[in-house]
Amino acid sequence: MNTYQIAVVVGSLRKDSFNHQLANGLAQLAPAHFSFTHLSIGDLPLYNQDDDAQPAESVKRLKAGISAAHGLLFVTPEYNRSIPGVLKNALDHASRPYGQNAWAGKPAGVLGASIGASGSAMAQQHLRNVLAYLDAPTMGQPEAYIQVREGLFDGQGNIGAGSVALLQNWMDHYVAWVEKFAG
């Protein structure tokens, strides 16, 4: 059986981020032949095309992490009906300079959590649009728009009992998606 390395990109920098918790909980639902590495995006400089010839070490690290991965997992909150600026900055850095798009061809899964009733639906749609342009085949179904409520996580930060079935189904589809493209 092949092993699959997944690069996790969380669109939140907050220390107690629900989306960090969700990403960690999802990894626990994956089969043993999948491993997850969180890519740091908080230390990236703002994207500036003038820096393409001499990228910062943090940009090189990001692109190396993406290149080493068989698949991508994006877990993002919704800020003002879109993706957080820090996530867009990471997408831009790893896609540049032109012709050196690290995201291209990497199968991706997108989900996110928010305290709002729509559970990051708009952010996910905007992210899917960007990923389509960046040539990252993105799983369309099932969708998972998670509203953060009591019980989403248990006391240890794992996925709560009431959410396990939904998120296990999502993870099972994601595993099949990655295996289809990266296998």
Side-chain angles (χ1 to χ4, degrees), residues 26 108-112 124 128 138-146 165-177:
L26 281 167
V110 173
L111 74 166
Q124 289 186 47
R128 289 173 191 282
T138 305
M139 184 176 79
Q141 294 293 327
E143 297 174 317
Y145 307 122
I146 310 298
L166 170 77
L167 292 172
Q168 185 65 65
N169 180 56
W170 189 94
M171 180 54 73
D172 293 345
H173 281 83
Y174 175 72
V175 165
W177 183 257

Side-chain angles (χ1 to χ4, degrees), residues 1-181:
M1 179 177 298
N2 291 337
T3 58
Y4 296 92
Q5 178 61 45
I6 305 302
V8 180
V9 181
V10 177
S12 175
L13 301 180
R14 192 169 66 87
K15 184 180 85 169
D16 295 324
S17 163
F18 297 124
N19 286 281
H20 279 286
Q21 290 179 54
L22 180 57
N24 291 335
L26 281 167
Q28 295 174 16
L29 300 177
H33 64 288
F34 271 64
S35 62
F36 297 80
T37 301
H38 287 255
L39 301 182
S40 177
I41 62 173
D43 60 346
L44 298 172
L46 291 176
Y47 176 73
N48 180 340
Q49 190 174 5
D50 291 341
D51 299 330
D52 280 356
Q54 297 288 343
E57 288 303 315
S58 57
V59 174
K60 292 177 187 176
R61 184 196 67 237
L62 174 67
K63 291 184 85 167
I66 296 163
S67 295
H70 298 99
L72 308 167
L73 176 61
F74 291 91
V75 187
T76 188
E78 183 171 298
Y79 293 175
N80 300 315
R81 297 282 188 245
S82 190
I83 60 175
V86 67
L87 178 54
K88 180 62 167 81
N89 190 49
L91 292 163
D92 292 343
H93 268 298
S95 70
R96 305 295 299 180
Y98 184 80
Q100 297 177 28
N101 175 12
W103 308 108
K106 301 285 182 175
V110 173
L111 74 166
S114 173
I115 59 172
S118 65
S120 76
M122 291 296 293
Q124 289 186 47
Q125 187 56 51
H126 288 177
L127 179 54
R128 289 173 191 282
N129 290 343
V130 174
L131 292 173
Y133 177 77
L134 296 176
D135 194 28
T138 305
M139 184 176 79
Q141 294 293 327
E143 297 174 317
Y145 307 122
I146 310 298
Q147 183 179 20
V148 177
R149 296 180 178 192
E150 187 167 332
L152 175 59
F153 305 108
D154 66 17
Q156 291 74 44
N158 301 313
I159 303 298
S163 302
V164 169
L166 170 77
L167 292 172
Q168 185 65 65
N169 180 56
W170 189 94
M171 180 54 73
D172 293 345
H173 281 83
Y174 175 72
V175 165
W177 183 257
V178 170
E179 289 176 341
K180 174 182 174 182
F181 281 92

